[in-house]
């Protein structure tokens, strides 16, 4: 008995090449659409999700607030008048005034800048450090992998809040006299130091599952160097998990910065931050609940928008979830 597939190939007449193509073109015109890659398919799937557009719109608004706060609140966020202390919301001050007579609405708008900048720079540093360590560990293997993994385990075992408190109270304690940039730099450094092991493990697992693929073996057989293999082949195929995790991590770092500022070890005045506003307003929550409610509402909206965007991107990049 002959193979049906082989028989069909052999018995195909060569004199009538249009017979097989006729049914395909008779009903509808042939599509000239080019095949899409992973990012193209992901973007096509994202465009159909309302969750993506809602979260992306909120993120764009928060980014504009951080970059151009004067467009949203022309008032002064630092100086105030004691004559307006704890005034209720009105046409002059939409969110009211705090105990020092400062415009709460202006402070909420300007507070987005510090929170977003700290979160974005912390995520960038964490992805660069953890990603580099993960690539080296997964690609080299052997004792290099063992050494880097044990170092990551040490940092991974440190409690996040406790480790941040120790670092920040050591270098940013009372009477340190640090400037705004130095305070923000210390918070960013503490977040990077305590968060890079997670990214390292994620990148390491991606590299381990990719480095033995056929195209990597072929590139190595053709004489491609380590740098070319990592930059041209490994890195582009391992970025999807980092992209998803990095998006979610922005929201997590915004919440982490607010937590540290609320505890008094993160950002400090004269920096304007949502965490500082919540910390300052907690003592007056019965008299003026808006001092806590308004910055907390913006904080929750910012965290949820980045988390929702990360979930939407994860579903779009993972074919099993489509």
């Amino acid at each position: 008995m002959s193979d049906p597939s082989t028989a069909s190939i052999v018995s195909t007449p060569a004199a009538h090449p249009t017979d097989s193509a006729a049914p395909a073109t008779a009903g509808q015109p042939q599509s000239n659409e080019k095949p899409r890659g992973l990012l193209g398919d992901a973007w096509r799937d994202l465009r159909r999700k309302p969750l993506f557009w809602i979260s992306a719109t909120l993120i764009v608004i928060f980014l504009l607030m951080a970059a151009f706060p004067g467009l949203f609140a022309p008032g002064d966020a630092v100086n105030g008048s004691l004559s307006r202390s704890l005034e209720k919301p009105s046409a002059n001050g939409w969110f009211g005034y705090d105990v020092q007579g400062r415009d709460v609405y202006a402070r909420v708008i300007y507070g987005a800048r510090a929170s977003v900048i700290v979160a974005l720079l912390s995520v960038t540093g964490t992805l660069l450090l953890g990603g580099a360590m993960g690539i080296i560990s997964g690609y080299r293997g052997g004792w290099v992998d063992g050494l880097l993994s044990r170092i990551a385990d040490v940092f991974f075992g440190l409690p996040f809040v406790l480790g941040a408190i120790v670092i920040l109270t050591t270098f940013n304690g009372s009477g340190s006299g640090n400037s705004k940039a130095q305070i923000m730099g210390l918070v960013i450094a503490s977040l990077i130091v305590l968060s890079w092991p997670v990214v390292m493990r994620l990148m390491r697992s991606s590299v381990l599952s990719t480095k033995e693929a056929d195209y990597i073996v072929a590139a190595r057989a053709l004489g491609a160097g380590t740098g070319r293999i990592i930059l041209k082949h490994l890195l582009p195929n391992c970025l999807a998990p980092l992209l998803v995790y990095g998006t979610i991590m922005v929201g997590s770092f915004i919440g982490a910065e607010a937590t540290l500022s609320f505890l008094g070890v993160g950002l400090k005045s004269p920096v304007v931050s949502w965490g500082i506003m919540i910390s300052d307003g907690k003592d007056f929550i019965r008299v003026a609940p808006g001092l806590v409610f308004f910055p907390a509402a913006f904080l929750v909206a910012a965290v949820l928008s980045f988390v929702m965007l990360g979930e939407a991107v994860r579903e779009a990049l993972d074919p099993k979830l489509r």
Side-chain angles (χ1 to χ4, degrees):
M1 182 179 293
S2 61
D3 188 359
S5 60
T6 306
S8 62
I9 295 175
V10 174
S11 60
T12 301
H16 303 282
T18 60
D19 291 346
S20 60
T25 58
Q28 56 184 2
Q30 188 174 4
S31 175
N32 295 325
E33 184 179 358
K34 295 182 180 180
R36 295 181 301 270
L38 177 63
L39 295 180
D41 289 338
W43 172 241
R44 183 183 181 184
D45 188 64
L46 282 174
R47 288 183 298 178
R48 303 173 180 176
K49 293 181 178 294
L51 185 65
F52 165 75
W53 291 110
I54 294 173
S55 58
T57 302
L58 290 175
I59 289 173
V60 170
I61 293 175
F62 284 117
L63 292 178
L64 290 176
M65 286 170 52
F68 309 103
L71 297 177
F72 298 86
D76 193 350
V78 178
N79 302 313
S81 175
L82 291 177
S83 61
R84 293 181 173 179
S85 179
L86 297 180
E87 281 190 7
K88 303 295 183 180
S90 61
N92 295 328
W94 291 356
F95 293 170
Y97 295 86
D98 63 3
V99 67
Q100 298 183 18
R102 296 172 296 190
D103 189 355
V104 177
Y105 173 73
R107 289 180 61 80
V108 168
I109 297 298
Y110 278 85
R113 169 174 291 180
S115 299
V116 171
I117 289 177
V118 168
L120 291 178
L121 293 181
S122 300
V123 169
T124 302
T126 303
L127 293 179
L128 291 177
L129 178 60
M133 299 285 278
I135 289 178
I136 296 173
S137 177
Y139 186 77
R140 298 295 298 178
W143 68 270
V144 176
D145 184 18
L147 177 62
L148 294 180
S149 297
R150 299 296 77 78
I151 295 175
D153 290 340
V154 172
F155 285 91
F156 192 78
L158 295 175
F160 181 84
V161 176
L162 179 60
I165 290 175
V166 172
I167 295 174
L168 292 175
T169 52
T170 302
F171 298 98
N172 191 34
S174 59
S176 58
N178 294 323
S179 62
K180 292 183 181 180
Q182 290 174 331
I183 295 173
M184 296 178 66
L186 288 172
V187 174
I188 293 170
S190 64
L191 294 176
I192 293 174
V193 168
L194 296 171
S195 303
W196 70 267
V198 180
V199 178
M200 183 262 188
R201 288 186 173 186
L202 187 63
M203 177 59 81
R204 176 180 175 274
S205 62
S206 299
V207 172
L208 288 176
S209 62
T210 307
K211 72 174 185 178
E212 299 300 332
D214 293 338
Y215 59 90
I216 300 293
V217 176
R220 191 180 296 114
L222 291 174
T226 301
R228 181 176 179 82
I229 292 176
I230 291 176
L231 295 178
K232 296 293 185 180
H233 302 286
L234 275 179
L235 191 58
N237 290 281
C238 296
L239 281 181
L242 290 188
L243 180 63
V244 174
Y245 185 73
T247 306
I248 298 176
M249 194 162 49
V250 173
S252 301
F253 279 177
I254 291 177
E257 178 274 319
T259 302
L260 296 175
S261 299
F262 178 82
L263 295 175
V265 297
L267 301 180
K268 298 180 180 179
S269 298
V271 181
V272 182
S273 169
W274 291 329
I276 296 176
M277 295 182 64
I278 297 174
S279 178
D280 293 341
K282 69 180 186 299
D283 297 329
F284 306 93
I285 190 170
R286 293 187 178 182
V287 180
L291 299 181
V292 175
F293 173 76
F294 290 118
F298 276 71
L299 174 63
V300 171
V303 173
L304 285 180
S305 61
F306 280 101
V307 172
M308 289 190 302
L309 180 62
E311 289 295 328
V313 173
R314 182 179 67 87
E315 294 178 1
L317 291 177
D318 191 350
K320 298 180 182 178
L321 300 177
R322 294 177 185 173

